[in-house]
Amino acid sequence: IKLRTDGKPTVVIFVGPTGVGKTTTLAKIAAHYLLNQKKAVGLITTDTYRIAAVEQLKTYAEILGIPVSVVYTPNEIKDALNQHSDKEIVLIDTAGRSHKNKSHFDELKSLVTAAGADEVYLVLSATTSIRNCREILTNYSFLTNYKLLFTKLDEAPVQGIILNVKYYTSRNLSYITTGQSVPDDIETANVDKIAKH
C-alpha cells in the first residue's frame, strides 16, 4: 500500500467473491500498519449481509483498539470516511457478491465508486479453479485499477493460478496469505519465491 503524503488518509477497499477471506486479510493488514508501522488506522465494513460479519471485524477492531464504522448503503460511505479523516489509513471491507445477483452486484459497483479509494484490492483464493477465476475476473472488470491479492496459499496444492491470473489481467501482485493467524500469515508477494513453488 502506497501511503499518501498530503495529510489525508489513504483509503483502501477490498473486493472479491464470497469466502475468499477478505475480512481476515483486512484484519492482518490493519494489525501490520498499527503494530509494525505505528500508523493510525480506521476500519469501515459494508458487509452487513453475511451473518456475524460485522461482529467478526468489530472483534478484530476491539482487540487492536481501532475504530470501526458500519455502512449499510453506498450513500453512507462518505460520512464514514469523514469520521476517519484523522487517520493515516482507512481499510474498507465489502461483502462478497455474486455477479448472478444483479442488484447486489450493482450495489457493490456503486460502493466502489462512492468510496473513491486510493487503492483497490481484488481478493482471490489460490484454491479457485482457473475456470471460476476467469468468470470472476470478467465480472469484476468494472474495476478500473486494482491490485491482486491471493489468499489461502497454504490450502492450494499448486500456485499456478497466480501466474494465470497475472497473465490474464496484467495487474500487479500485492499480498499473499498463508493461513488464518492474525497478523502473521500475510506477506508481500515475492515473485521469485512463488516461481520456485
Side-chain angles (χ1 to χ4, degrees), residues 83-103:
Q83 290 170 10
H84 296 289
S85 60
D86 60 330
K87 302 294 180 275
E88 292 169 274
I89 183 166
V90 179
L91 306 175
I92 304 173
D93 193 17
T94 63
R97 284 285 183 243
S98 169
H99 57 280
K100 293 180 173 97
N101 184 326
K102 189 177 182 320
S103 67

Side-chain angles (χ1 to χ4, degrees), residues 17-21 123-134 136 149-165 176-180:
T18 55
V20 295
V123 184
L124 299 167
S125 168
T127 62
T128 308
S129 72
I130 189 58
R131 185 175 171 188
N132 284 353
C133 249
R134 277 193 188 139
I136 291 163
L149 194 162
F150 283 92
T151 60
K152 306 187 181 186
L153 260 76
D154 55 312
E155 297 177 27
V158 292
Q159 296 180 5
I161 192 77
I162 298 173
L163 175 64
N164 289 333
V165 171
I176 58 165
T177 73
T178 55
Q180 296 204 331

Side-chain angles (χ1 to χ4, degrees), residues 182-194:
V182 177
D184 301 325
D185 294 338
I186 188 167
E187 55 192 70
T188 304
N190 179 319
V191 175
D192 290 339
K193 192 173 171 183
I194 293 167

